[in-house]
Each structure stands twice: as C-alpha cells, then as structure tokens.
Amino acid sequence: MLGTIIGAVAGLVAGGFISYYIWDKALKKKKEKLLEEAHAEGEVIKKDKILQAREKFFQLKTEHEKFINEKNSKIGAQENRLTQKETSLNQRREDLQRRIREFEITKKDHDIIRENLNNQLAVLEQKNEELAKLHRQQVDKLEVLTGMSAEEAKAQLVESLKEEARSEAMAYINEIVEEAKQTANKEAKKVVVKSIQRVATETAIENSVTIFHIESDEIKGRIIGREGRNIRALEAATGVEIIVDDTPEAIVLSAFDPVRREIARLALHQLVTDGRIHPARIEEVVNKVKKQLEEEIIETGKRTTIDLGIHGMHPELIRLIGKMKYRSSYGQNLLQHSREVANLSAVMAAELGLNTKKAKRAGLLHDIGKVPDDEPELPHAILGMKLAEKYKEKPDVVNAIGAHHDETEMQSLLAPIVQVCDAISGARPGARREIVESYIKRLKDLEDLALSYPGVMKTYAIQAGRELRVIAGAEKITDQEAEQLSYDIAKRIQDEMTYPGQIKITVIRETRAVNYAK
C-alpha cells in the first residue's frame, strides 16, 4: 500500500516536472517571438523617424539658403549704393580741388599782371618827363628859326591839318568800333563757355514703357485673373496697357504718360506684395497710390528747391515743380532740364555781376507753364508767367519766364540770360528728340478729342496710339448712343488728325452698383 502511494506521488512529481519543462519551453518561444516583433517594429519606427528628420533637415536647409540669399541681395544693394555714393563724393572732391587750383592760378596771374603794370607805369612816367623836356627844347628852336610864337605856329598847323585829321579820326573811330564788337563777342562766348563747363549735364531721354519685375511666372496668372478680369480692371483704373508675354519674370507697362506708368507700377507692387488681387481691391489700391504719388510730387518739389537754395516759394509752385519729374519736353526730362537751366542761369549771372538767386529762381520756373492741372490753350511761357504772377513772384522773374520764347518784351537782364540758358540746355547733343514730343502730343490730342464729348468720363490712348478706350457713364448714355459715340469719334479723328495706320475706338459703357454693409 505504501509502495503504491509512493509510486503515485513519484509519478505525479515526474509528470509535474515534465509539464513545467514543456510550459517553460513554450514560454521561451513566445518571448523570443515577442522580442523579434518588437525589434522589427522598432526598426520601422527608427526608419520613419530618420525620414522625418531628413525632411525637416532639408526644409530647414532650404529656408536657411533662402534667408542667406535675401541677406546677400540686401548686402549687394547696400554695397552698390555705397559705391555710387563714394563715386559721387570722389567726383565732387575732384571738382572742388580743380576749382581751388583754378582760383590759385588766377590769383597768381593777377598779382603778376599788377606788378608788371606798376613797372610799366613807372617807365611811362619817366619817358613822359623826358619827352616834355625835348618838347620844350624843340619849341624854343622853332620859335627862333621861324620868327613866330608857338601859339601862332600851332594855329597854322591845326588849320592846315584839320581835314587830314578829320579823315584819320573817322578811320580810327571805325577801327575802334570793330575792335569793340569783336571783343564783346569774344567776352560773351567766354561767359557762355564758362557757364557750360561749370554745370554738369545729363542726357535724360524719356521712355514710353516700364518693366515691372516679378519673382516667378506664377504671379502672371494671378495678375491676369479669371477670364482676364483683373488685368482689365487694372488697365481701366490706370489707363496703362499691361503686356503679359513670355518674357521671364517681367511685365511691360506701356503708356505715354509717365504719371500713369508710375501709378500702375506702384499699384502692381502693392497688389503682388499683399497677394489679394481682385477688381475691388485693384481700384482701392490705385486710388491709394494716386494719393501717395501726389505726396511724393510735393516732396520732390521741396527737395529740388532745397537743393538749389531757393526759399520762400509758394506751395502750389513747389507742387508744380515736383510734377515736372513726370513730364518731358522733346524727350528731355522737364525737371532735369529746369534744374540745369537754373544752374546755368546762376553761373552766367555771377559772371555778369547780377543777382544769382533771382536768376536761379527764374531758370527753375521758366517751363512751369508746361505742367498745370487744367492746361488751357495758351503758350507755356505766357501761362507760366501768369502762374508766377499769381503766386507773388518778383516782376523781373515773372518777365524772364514770359519772355524766354520772345512772346513778351524783355524788361530786365534776367530774361536774355534765361533764354540763352534754355537754348544751351536744349541744344546739347542727345538732349531732345523731336519725334517723341510729336508722338506724345498726338496721343494727348486723341484723348482730349474723345473727352470733349458729353457723357465721357475717362479716355486712354493705348497700343502706341492704335487703340482709344473711352469710358462712359451708363446713366449718361444708352447702348445705342454708345455705338453712335464710337462712330462720331472715329469720323472726327479721320477728318481732323494725321496718324499712321488705323485707330480702334472702344466705347465702354460701365454700370456700377455700390452698397455698404454696416
């Protein structure tokens, strides 16, 4: 019995050991399997993290390179500005040194000439004394020989030589007059040449296009807009033809009026920078830019008067001076031309001993009649004279403005000085182009002709004068009247104007509904 029990217990113990061995072996296999799965999952997670880290690295590297390129661009622009300033300062320093050398040479020559004159005067006085002694001796001898007194001999001699002396005197007078004329011409040329040499000149040719640079060609599509609505709204608001072609990273703005081109350029810059480009936003930005440009015009006028040392000028005249920056005369920038005439007038007035400040003032204002807002049918010299008189300029300045084209009588020496300096500035080679002036005048006449019809609000000559766009109010004319207006304008252009090719007249009858949500 006991042996049976012991055998049973031993069997149970052996069975337990066997079961434990089997369970332990299965547990080890499961553990190894779990470790393998965890290792595989860890490898996958590791690869994902490495890929994410690489992507983040390349993103940060791209942003860093972009930042470095922008910094390099700014540093390059600053270096260019510093180089230009250094060049300008070197040029001014050389000019100042040259003037100092000229002054020193002139002073030295003056001292030498004065010393020579003093020596010559001393020699001349000595010779005069010797001549007087000889004269007295000769008179005494003649009185002894002729038996006549000196007075009697003198009267007889004068009577006998009167006719001969008269003829010789007339010849001598003619010779002096001719010599005086030659000397006067020579001195006048000398003054003009000195004035030209002392005033730096620039060749300023106005263009009819402006290139607007963009960062990428994707922006072109946003500027054009859906079905071209953005570009049409921009052209209608500014009156500038916007040419979007295959030229990389560039858009061409074409218009004969520099003010319109500048408004279009600044408006495009703000729209592209802001990113919101749609018709309502375009009109808002264009109106804002017009106000900014008006402020810039006033600032330009103030800066010009300060640079030239002109003070006490009426604010309206200062605004008109700033407006000259966006006008041209025969292709020559009007503000540069007026500044040049002012400097030339001051130099010439100084050479002649006249008031340099008045001369500079008259030279700057001489073409002010080319830039008024209303532009009445008057010669620009007469209109400028009336404007200067209206804003309390001095009478001799007013007369110089009105007489620089001989349209009024010259009443002071300032008038011929301004007239001559205007001719000098305009006669430089490359200063003016007659063709550009006539072309711009034709486009201006086109716009004025269409604007004279009732109901017309705005007119824009585009496509180099081959198309005339006329904006009419919907409440003022009907569709049928718009067609008739287009025909009437075309007929009048044919009858009254001379132009190459053909001109397309497009009348746009615009309706607007505006409301405000409050």
Side-chain angles (χ1 to χ4, degrees):
M1 183 70 176
L2 181 61
T4 304
I5 292 170
I6 291 170
V9 171
L12 287 170
V13 171
F17 276 113
I18 292 169
S19 297
Y20 175 76
Y21 175 75
I22 293 171
W23 177 79
D24 184 59
K25 189 174 182 180
L27 187 63
K28 285 181 180 180
K29 286 183 180 179
K30 187 175 182 180
K31 182 179 179 182
E32 290 174 356
K33 186 177 180 180
L34 287 173
L35 285 172
E36 289 177 357
E37 290 177 354
H39 181 71
E41 186 177 355
E43 287 294 328
V44 172
I45 293 173
K46 180 181 177 182
K47 290 180 180 178
D48 289 341
K49 292 297 182 181
I50 290 172
L51 288 174
Q52 290 178 6
R54 285 181 179 175
E55 290 177 357
K56 186 66 175 177
F57 171 74
F58 284 121
Q59 182 181 358
L60 291 173
K61 181 181 178 183
T62 304
E63 292 177 355
H64 180 69
E65 288 177 351
K66 184 178 180 181
F67 176 75
I68 292 298
N69 290 334
E70 290 178 355
K71 284 291 184 183
N72 289 337
S73 299
K74 291 181 180 178
I75 291 171
Q78 290 178 353
E79 287 179 352
N80 290 335
R81 287 196 294 270
L82 288 173
T83 303
Q84 292 176 357
K85 288 183 179 179
E86 184 179 0
T87 304
S88 178
L89 288 173
N90 289 335
Q91 186 177 358
R92 290 184 180 179
R93 184 180 62 186
E94 291 175 0
D95 187 34
L96 183 61
Q97 290 175 351
R98 179 179 57 80
R99 292 185 180 180
I100 290 172
R101 288 195 300 270
E102 289 179 355
F103 176 75
E104 290 176 350
I105 292 171
T106 304
K107 184 178 179 182
K108 184 178 179 182
D109 292 342
H110 178 71
D111 294 338
I112 293 172
I113 291 171
R114 183 168 59 183
E115 185 178 354
N116 291 336
L117 285 175
N118 291 332
N119 293 335
Q120 291 178 5
L121 285 173
V123 172
L124 187 60
E125 288 178 357
Q126 184 179 357
K127 289 185 176 180
N128 283 335
E129 291 177 358
E130 294 177 357
L131 184 61
K133 291 180 181 179
L134 290 173
H135 178 67
R136 283 195 297 273
Q137 292 175 2
Q138 294 295 328
V139 168
D140 294 339
K141 288 181 180 180
L142 285 172
E143 287 180 352
V144 172
L145 291 173
T146 58
M148 290 189 299
S149 65
E151 292 297 328
E152 293 175 350
K154 186 187 296 184
Q156 187 176 355
L157 182 62
V158 169
E159 189 65 29
S160 62
L161 298 177
K162 186 179 290 185
E163 292 297 327
E164 184 178 354
R166 185 179 290 112
S167 61
E168 289 182 358
M170 290 301 298
Y172 185 65
I173 289 170
N174 291 333
E175 184 180 348
I176 291 175
V177 170
E178 290 298 323
E179 184 179 355
K181 288 181 180 179
Q182 292 176 3
T183 305
N185 290 333
K186 185 178 179 181
E187 289 298 320
K189 290 177 182 177
K190 184 178 178 183
V191 170
V192 172
V193 170
K194 279 187 178 180
S195 302
I196 295 173
Q197 288 176 341
R198 290 176 60 184
V199 177
T201 59
E202 296 179 4
T203 301
I205 300 299
E206 288 291 317
N207 297 318
S208 60
V209 296
T210 298
I211 304 298
F212 179 73
H213 297 281
I214 55 178
E215 294 182 357
S216 65
D217 289 341
E218 296 177 0
I219 300 176
K220 290 184 179 180
R222 296 170 58 194
I223 291 174
I224 295 172
R226 183 180 300 174
E227 298 178 355
R229 64 175 188 171
N230 290 346
I231 195 170
R232 285 199 303 271
L234 194 56
E235 287 181 344
T238 60
V240 173
E241 182 185 2
I242 301 174
I243 303 170
V244 182
D245 53 17
D246 295 334
T247 306
E249 299 181 355
I251 293 175
V252 179
L253 309 177
S254 176
F256 73 92
D257 190 344
V259 177
R260 292 184 194 169
R261 290 205 310 273
E262 184 67 9
I263 290 173
R265 187 188 70 80
L266 294 174
L268 263 179
H269 178 72
Q270 289 195 17
L271 289 168
V272 170
T273 304
D274 183 43
R276 294 177 294 164
I277 306 177
H278 52 82
R281 175 67 177 162
I282 287 170
E283 290 192 4
E284 177 186 346
V285 170
V286 168
N287 291 331
K288 183 179 177 181
V289 165
K290 287 180 180 178
K291 293 180 181 178
Q292 291 176 352
L293 190 62
E294 185 66 23
E295 293 175 359
E296 184 180 344
I297 285 172
I298 295 173
E299 183 62 27
T300 301
K302 290 180 179 178
R303 192 164 54 248
T304 301
T305 55
I306 291 171
D307 290 344
L308 293 174
I310 297 174
H311 306 288
M313 189 171 286
H314 194 278
E316 182 61 23
L317 289 180
I318 292 176
R319 189 182 73 85
L320 292 176
I321 290 170
K323 199 173 176 183
M324 286 183 182
K325 178 181 177 182
Y326 302 100
R327 288 288 184 271
S328 61
S329 177
Y330 297 95
Q332 185 181 24
N333 183 269
L334 195 58
L335 181 59
Q336 292 294 336
H337 166 65
S338 298
R339 288 175 67 110
E340 188 177 334
V341 172
N343 287 323
L344 283 168
S345 300
V347 173
M348 195 171 290
E351 292 288 340
L352 299 175
L354 300 177
N355 190 320
T356 57
K357 291 185 177 180
K358 283 187 178 180
K360 190 177 288 188
R361 200 179 189 99
L364 180 62
L365 296 175
H366 81 283
D367 271 346
I368 203 75
K370 290 185 178 181
V371 290
D373 297 325
D374 48 358
E375 297 186 5
E377 293 295 329
L378 281 175
H380 75 272
I382 302 298
L383 182 57
M385 180 179 71
K386 291 183 179 296
L387 287 171
E389 188 175 10
K390 177 182 178 182
Y391 296 117
K392 311 301 181 185
E393 286 295 321
K394 296 293 178 62
D396 45 357
V397 174
V398 172
N399 177 253
I401 296 171
H404 78 276
H405 283 314
D406 292 324
E407 287 167 332
T408 60
E409 185 179 353
M410 296 184 181
Q411 298 175 356
S412 69
L413 287 176
L414 283 182
I417 288 176
V418 172
Q419 185 182 54
V420 169
C421 294
D422 179 43
I424 291 172
S425 176
R428 294 186 287 105
R432 295 186 170 187
R433 291 190 300 177
E434 186 77 28
I435 297 174
V436 173
E437 183 72 11
S438 60
Y439 161 73
I440 292 176
K441 185 177 184 302
R442 177 168 62 83
L443 297 188
K444 183 67 177 172
D445 291 343
L446 263 178
E447 292 186 347
D448 291 342
L449 185 146
L451 198 61
S452 64
Y453 284 86
V456 176
M457 300 169 62
K458 297 178 183 177
T459 58
Y460 299 121
I462 61 175
Q463 296 280 356
R466 291 189 294 273
E467 182 178 353
L468 179 64
R469 289 190 182 176
V470 182
I471 312 296
E475 71 281 358
K476 296 183 179 180
I477 64 173
T478 63
D479 288 340
Q480 291 77 12
E481 290 173 341
E483 293 181 2
Q484 183 63 36
L485 177 62
S486 177
Y487 173 80
D488 292 343
I489 293 174
K491 185 71 169 61
R492 187 172 169 190
I493 291 173
Q494 288 178 6
D495 295 340
E496 297 182 7
M497 297 188 67
T498 303
Y499 51 91
Q502 62 181 14
I503 299 175
K504 177 183 177 183
I505 292 88
T506 304
V507 176
I508 301 172
R509 181 172 174 266
E510 189 178 38
T511 304
R512 294 194 183 192
V514 180
N515 230 315
Y516 297 93
K518 299 180 181 178

